[in-house]
Amino acid sequence: MIVGYHAAGLLYHDPVFAVRELANIGYASVAIRPHGASLNPDSPNFGQQVLRLGDAIAKAAVRCVLDLDSPYLPDPRNARGPSLVSTEAADADAAQQWIATWIEVSDELGAELITFSSGSWGKSEEERDERMLERLSTQLRSLSDKASRKGVRLALHPRSGDAVATVAQFERLGQWLDDDGALLLAADIGEMLTGGELPLADRLARNFDQLACVYLCDRRAGASGDQRIGQGDVALGRILQSLGGHSFQGHVIARVEGHCELGFTPAREAIQIFHGR
């Protein structure tokens, strides 16, 4: 597995410095999530931001995952942004263009994998139907074609409240896509817990053929949000043992959001679990 850390837990630090320091700690991969102050396509300095961070990633010799689930980007009034499955054509097109923008700059940034969510269906679970799946599969085929030409891989990130909210729903979506493995899975331990997808290791094992990335976080019963790795109730060691036992070759990204005031301390703590400590 490729051991990584999510820079969303280091929002008080310059991304270039964060990449260098994470490499020094021992991470082989870094997940980057664009935000308003850095890697913002609406910024007049966007091209310079991409080149500067891409240069840092190359010099640090780390691999890069782009996480496009950026709160309030690209819409500063909407935390979740446009949806690929929206019945409003302009909204669906904006969601597709957001992902396409990052496909285009992926080589300059040095990103090898882009993860993103489907967006909200905007209707009840009972109204989830074949039209939604067909709309989403059409969008995903177009994006997969663009990604293939750029040499970057795409992985769908199931998120609570979205059209594809669980790994199980990702499995169902596979029935609507061409079986060529173009679209991969970015599983999120926190979202899997929310969706009741237990046992976690077994659900992941069912999808190893398409699993490209695991966002590894710790959670505590009765509390919301990420805990520092090792301070929650999730049997992370069991998950890592299962991934290792199946010779998983994808990214396993430790994510500790909401503790930015601690700087790199959570990153140093998190890497210990990968070393079995």
Side-chain angles (χ1 to χ4, degrees):
M1 69 184 72
I2 307 165
V3 174
Y5 194 81
H6 206 308
L10 296 164
L11 294 181
Y12 295 159
H13 289 80
D14 178 80
V16 167
F17 178 79
V19 165
R20 293 171 182 163
E21 188 63 18
L22 290 172
N24 289 337
I25 291 171
Y27 288 100
S29 175
V30 177
I32 301 292
R33 184 186 295 158
H35 59 86
S38 175
L39 285 187
N40 182 353
D42 290 334
S43 169
N45 299 319
F46 178 57
Q48 294 177 2
Q49 292 174 351
V50 168
L51 292 175
R52 180 171 177 263
L53 186 54
D55 182 63
I57 288 168
K59 288 180 177 177
V62 294
R63 299 165 79 165
C64 178
V65 174
L66 262 177
D67 172 9
L68 299 190
D69 289 316
S70 302
Y72 298 105
L73 279 179
D75 183 350
R77 295 180 179 84
N78 182 353
R80 296 304 295 268
S83 169
L84 286 169
V85 296
S86 175
T87 56
E88 298 293 332
D91 192 55
D93 288 346
Q96 188 173 21
Q97 183 55 51
W98 169 249
I99 300 168
T101 295
W102 295 102
I103 291 174
E104 286 302 311
V105 301
S106 59
D107 52 349
E108 297 175 19
L109 193 56
E112 63 180 55
L113 179 69
I114 297 175
T115 75
F116 58 92
S117 58
S118 66
S120 173
W121 173 225
K123 299 184 180 181
S124 69
E125 182 75 20
E126 291 72 21
E127 293 179 294
R128 189 189 308 272
D129 59 18
E130 295 183 354
R131 292 174 300 166
M132 180 274 288
L133 290 170
E134 184 59 40
R135 181 179 296 112
L136 180 57
S137 61
T138 298
Q139 297 276 45
L140 292 174
R141 288 190 194 100
S142 175
L143 289 167
S144 293
D145 288 343
K146 289 183 174 68
S148 178
R149 290 193 293 270
K150 293 293 287 188
V152 64
R153 298 180 301 159
L154 300 181
L156 190 65
H157 178 193
R159 295 183 69 188
S160 177
D162 279 4
V164 179
T166 64
V167 174
Q169 289 169 358
F170 173 86
E171 293 171 356
R172 185 186 176 204
L173 175 63
Q175 301 172 14
W176 292 84
L177 296 169
D178 297 332
D179 189 21
D180 57 4
L183 182 68
L184 302 170
L185 170 65
D188 186 313
I189 296 303
E191 299 292 348
M192 292 176 71
L193 286 170
T194 299
E197 299 197 283
L198 303 172
L200 297 169
D202 291 350
R203 177 67 73 175
L204 292 173
R206 280 176 48 179
N207 292 276
F208 272 140
D209 288 346
Q210 289 179 279
L211 187 63
C213 176
V214 177
Y215 287 122
L216 193 76
C217 61
D218 212 346
R219 295 289 172 92
R220 186 178 298 157
S224 61
D226 295 348
Q227 302 298 313
R228 292 159 67 178
I229 297 296
Q231 298 189 15
D233 301 322
V234 182
L236 298 176
R238 188 177 306 165
I239 294 171
L240 293 174
Q241 185 177 26
S242 176
L243 293 170
H246 287 81
S247 300
F248 179 58
Q249 300 297 310
H251 296 262
V252 182
I253 307 290
R255 189 191 66 220
V256 187
E257 294 194 66
H259 302 272
C260 295
E261 74 282 358
L262 298 175
F264 291 90
T265 296
R268 296 188 183 96
E269 294 171 344
I271 204 165
Q272 300 304 312
I273 195 171
F274 291 109
H275 295 156
R277 301 174 189 170

